[in-house]
Amino acid sequence: MSNVHEISSPSSMATKATFPNGQTPMSEKDSYHNNVSPLSSNGSENFQPEPWKDNRGFFRKLKDGWFIELLSCFVSMGASIALIFTLLHFDHQPLPKWPLSVTLNSLLALFTTVAKAGLLLPIAEAMGQLKWIWFVGKQRPLADFQSFDEASRGISGSLKLLKLLKGGHLASIGALVSILGLGTSFITQQMIEYPTRPVSDRLSNSTSPRADMYYGAYAEARRGNGAVDNTLKHALQNGLLFAFNETILPVAPSCTTGNCTWTPYSSLEVCSKVADVTDKLNNNATNLGDSANTASFATNVSLPNGAYFISETGVLLNLTNLRNASYFDYDKQITIDEKTIANHSIAFLGEENIQDTAIVNAFLIYRRSEDTEGVYSALEIMIYWCVATYETEVKNGVPLHNRTTSTYVRSRDATIDGNKESTGNLILSPDANNPGNYSVGFNSKTVLESALATRLKGIKGKEDATEEGVESDAAVALSSALYETISNANTTGSITQEQGMQMQLRTVENWAANIATSLSNSIRTRRFRGSPAIGTAYLPQTYVRVRWPWLAYLLTLLILSFVFLTATIYKTKVNRVGILKSSALAMVYGGGEKIVGRGGFLGRGELRDRGERETARLVSSPAGWRLE
């Protein structure tokens, strides 16, 4: 008679199994507490199963034990260590370029996949083993067996098992690791990022113009004619007429890569400053009207240095400078030095070296409002030589400057009659400890003084003014700046008189700075002005940056898996349970007589040997499906 395993229904798997010779299994409780498994033959005699003889080889024993699972853990650990060393090697290094379009992400994905795969087997087998241990010594629902089995196979089963166990069993760790394992692919992508950083490029040029000296054209220099070469004349005119609400920037450096830096460098330049001297005004206004319906004001507004504003109705402002600067009379071959420029200053007279560096000292007296007579303000404008020190940087094609200025005068070389105050070349330095010399030729200095003194004067009247006088470009530009500033501000809301005065002061400061910057740019870009400042050009480089906290996720999974496996091995030994793990044969035999052996459950190797001696097939019968 053939060996038959009959399964009439799922509920009868354990109770209606028929084994060789028609024997039926003892109850699990009875068979578990005996070292042998007595069987009943035809209900009348006991049957002693043939003792199992272990004929397995060495490798078969390793396979039937926990060697494969432990080996998988060590493989996972090795892949994780390789991953860590790879990250350490490439952290903050340029993005590698490998053949066949292999990327660093691909390599990390390989290590992560191996590490994850190494955890799958021990987790699944340990979960399979725990489902047997779960039933040791206590009656439990058979549905728990299926819950454990499902947990060893996928995420949904792990979630169900966590709900069943409520975290109070070792199997909960395995279920948790199975769920967290889903995130390994995501973690691989999060462990590294590829930002860019600038790296120096020696093949690219980066220069910034600078000037060590200024010796302009002066062949036609005469007292008062203000002769300058066309280049400087254009720069001066550009500064005078530039939009009052915009700013002329320093000459742009050359940066072929769009990202460059320079160490601090200095250059000879022209600087400016403006001060409010309204409190020094002497304002006398007399009403000349001959009736109550007509009024005319003769206004004489003056400053202590002699600058004044006098007019009848209609004049808005007067720009003047007291030009008693030194100059060289070529006809007489002597230097005329009635009074230095800065001696006329009110706000800046006490400043160091201003006597030597001043180019023009102008005074602007003006009505505060186009429509209001009798209320005036005064500003002092000083334009002078200076040495500017730059910290320059170009970011994404946009130049950025941090600029400081100095007027330290190192010397004025005496050339005629020992009169060094008026006849020498002006030599400046950034400071007393800086050996750099930045020189201005005496005759070139005189020409520029004359040119600015000629242009920074004039009046500006209202359109219907009849006052005689000379309107200049500077006066017209200042008129627009002063009154359009107030008009534009009033369109967005009424401003106070004090606010209006401050806005006009800032506008004139910007106007004077535009003149100075335009002249400086011209001087810095001339031929033979001095060697340019050499900077460092940078190109963007993509590099690897490791986000180490994300690696903790993978290492935590590895540690939990190893702890889970070792704890399962220990629990198996303590409970004297055979190493069944996820054995399908153990489930086919139904947990009854066939898997009960000496001192406890038989091992998976014993079950496999017995399974190899028996054959079965699944057939359908009126009573249900059965194995025969």
Side-chain angles (χ1 to χ4, degrees), residues 248-309:
I248 297 178
L249 300 176
V251 60
S254 172
C255 177
T256 55
T257 63
N259 291 280
C260 301
T261 60
W262 284 259
T263 56
Y265 61 92
S266 299
S267 176
L268 177 68
E269 294 198 0
V270 175
C271 293
S272 67
K273 46 191 169 186
V274 178
D276 188 345
V277 292
T278 302
D279 59 333
K280 300 295 191 293
L281 278 177
N282 181 17
N283 189 339
N284 295 315
T286 303
N287 190 341
L288 302 180
D290 54 5
S291 69
N293 297 324
T294 61
S296 179
F297 289 88
T299 306
N300 183 0
V301 183
S302 62
L303 291 169
N305 60 4
Y308 64 91
F309 177 102

Side-chain angles (χ1 to χ4, degrees), residues 199-207 254-257 259-260 534-539:
V199 293
S200 59
D201 179 23
R202 296 181 179 179
L203 300 179
S204 300
N205 296 322
S206 56
T207 59
S254 172
C255 177
T256 55
T257 63
N259 291 280
C260 301
I534 305 299
T536 303
Y538 295 91
L539 287 172

Side-chain angles (χ1 to χ4, degrees), residues 100 345 460 504 582 598 604:
L100 303 178
S345 176
K460 176 65 176 75
Q504 289 175 327
S582 57
R598 301 169 311 283
R604 187 165 61 169

Side-chain angles (χ1 to χ4, degrees), residues 167-179:
H169 190 269
L170 177 60
S172 299
I173 298 178
L176 181 63
V177 172
S178 298
I179 295 170

Side-chain angles (χ1 to χ4, degrees), residues 319-586:
L319 177 65
T320 186
N321 59 82
L322 305 178
R323 185 175 173 268
N324 291 327
S326 59
Y327 64 95
F328 185 72
D329 190 321
Y330 285 87
D331 297 328
K332 297 180 180 181
Q333 289 295 301
I334 60 173
T335 298
I336 307 299
D337 188 22
E338 297 176 357
K339 198 173 186 180
T340 62
I341 294 171
N343 276 348
H344 301 296
S345 176
I346 295 175
F348 310 116
L349 186 60
E351 294 191 4
E352 185 179 8
N353 299 318
I354 197 66
Q355 300 278 13
D356 293 318
T357 58
I359 300 174
V360 67
N361 190 201
F363 297 88
L364 173 65
I365 304 174
Y366 62 96
R367 289 188 196 176
R368 293 181 186 173
S369 172
E370 287 183 285
D371 303 320
T372 303
E373 296 191 30
V375 181
Y376 298 89
S377 290
L379 300 175
E380 179 178 352
I381 304 169
M382 179 70 74
I383 296 179
Y384 58 98
W385 293 103
C386 66
V387 175
T389 300
Y390 285 93
E391 293 179 3
T392 300
E393 180 180 14
V394 176
K395 280 188 175 182
N396 300 322
V398 179
L400 306 171
H401 301 283
N402 182 19
R403 180 175 181 262
T404 57
T405 62
S406 167
T407 57
Y408 178 77
V409 177
R410 186 167 293 278
S411 69
R412 296 193 67 162
D413 298 328
T415 56
I416 300 177
D417 299 331
N419 187 355
K420 65 183 294 183
E421 280 77 17
S422 58
T423 61
N425 299 328
L426 178 64
I427 300 178
L428 303 173
S429 292
D431 55 66
N433 299 320
N434 193 309
N437 291 333
Y438 301 85
S439 59
V440 182
F442 168 72
N443 292 310
S444 299
K445 178 178 181 295
T446 302
V447 167
L448 186 57
E449 290 170 358
S450 298
L452 279 170
T454 301
R455 287 165 176 79
L456 264 64
K457 64 180 182 179
I459 67 169
K460 176 65 176 75
K462 299 179 70 174
E463 296 300 327
D464 57 351
T466 58
E467 181 71 19
E468 294 183 0
V470 179
E471 284 194 354
S472 66
D473 291 339
V476 173
L478 282 170
S479 175
S480 298
L482 290 169
Y483 303 120
E484 286 185 29
T485 296
I486 300 300
S487 176
N488 292 341
N490 280 325
T491 59
T492 58
S494 179
I495 60 173
T496 65
Q497 186 179 79
E498 180 64 26
Q499 289 173 331
M501 292 175 63
Q502 289 298 315
M503 293 178 64
Q504 289 175 327
L505 171 62
R506 300 291 174 262
T507 301
V508 176
E509 284 177 337
N510 187 66
W511 177 80
N514 281 343
I515 296 174
T517 304
S518 184
L519 292 172
S520 297
N521 290 346
S522 175
I523 293 170
R524 288 175 62 183
T525 54
R526 287 170 172 264
R527 293 183 62 190
F528 312 116
R529 78 282 182 187
S531 301
I534 305 299
T536 303
Y538 295 91
L539 287 172
Q541 179 192 71
T542 303
Y543 70 101
V544 179
R545 185 163 62 195
V546 179
R547 294 188 281 196
W548 293 104
W550 287 102
L551 186 61
Y553 186 96
L554 186 61
L555 296 180
T556 300
L557 287 181
L558 180 64
I559 294 171
L560 286 176
S561 300
F562 189 77
V563 169
F564 176 60
L565 178 61
T566 54
T568 301
I569 295 174
Y570 174 77
K571 200 164 186 178
T572 298
K573 184 175 182 180
V574 169
N575 287 275
R576 300 180 62 209
V577 177
I579 303 175
L580 301 173
K581 300 187 247 187
S582 57
S583 172
L585 284 175

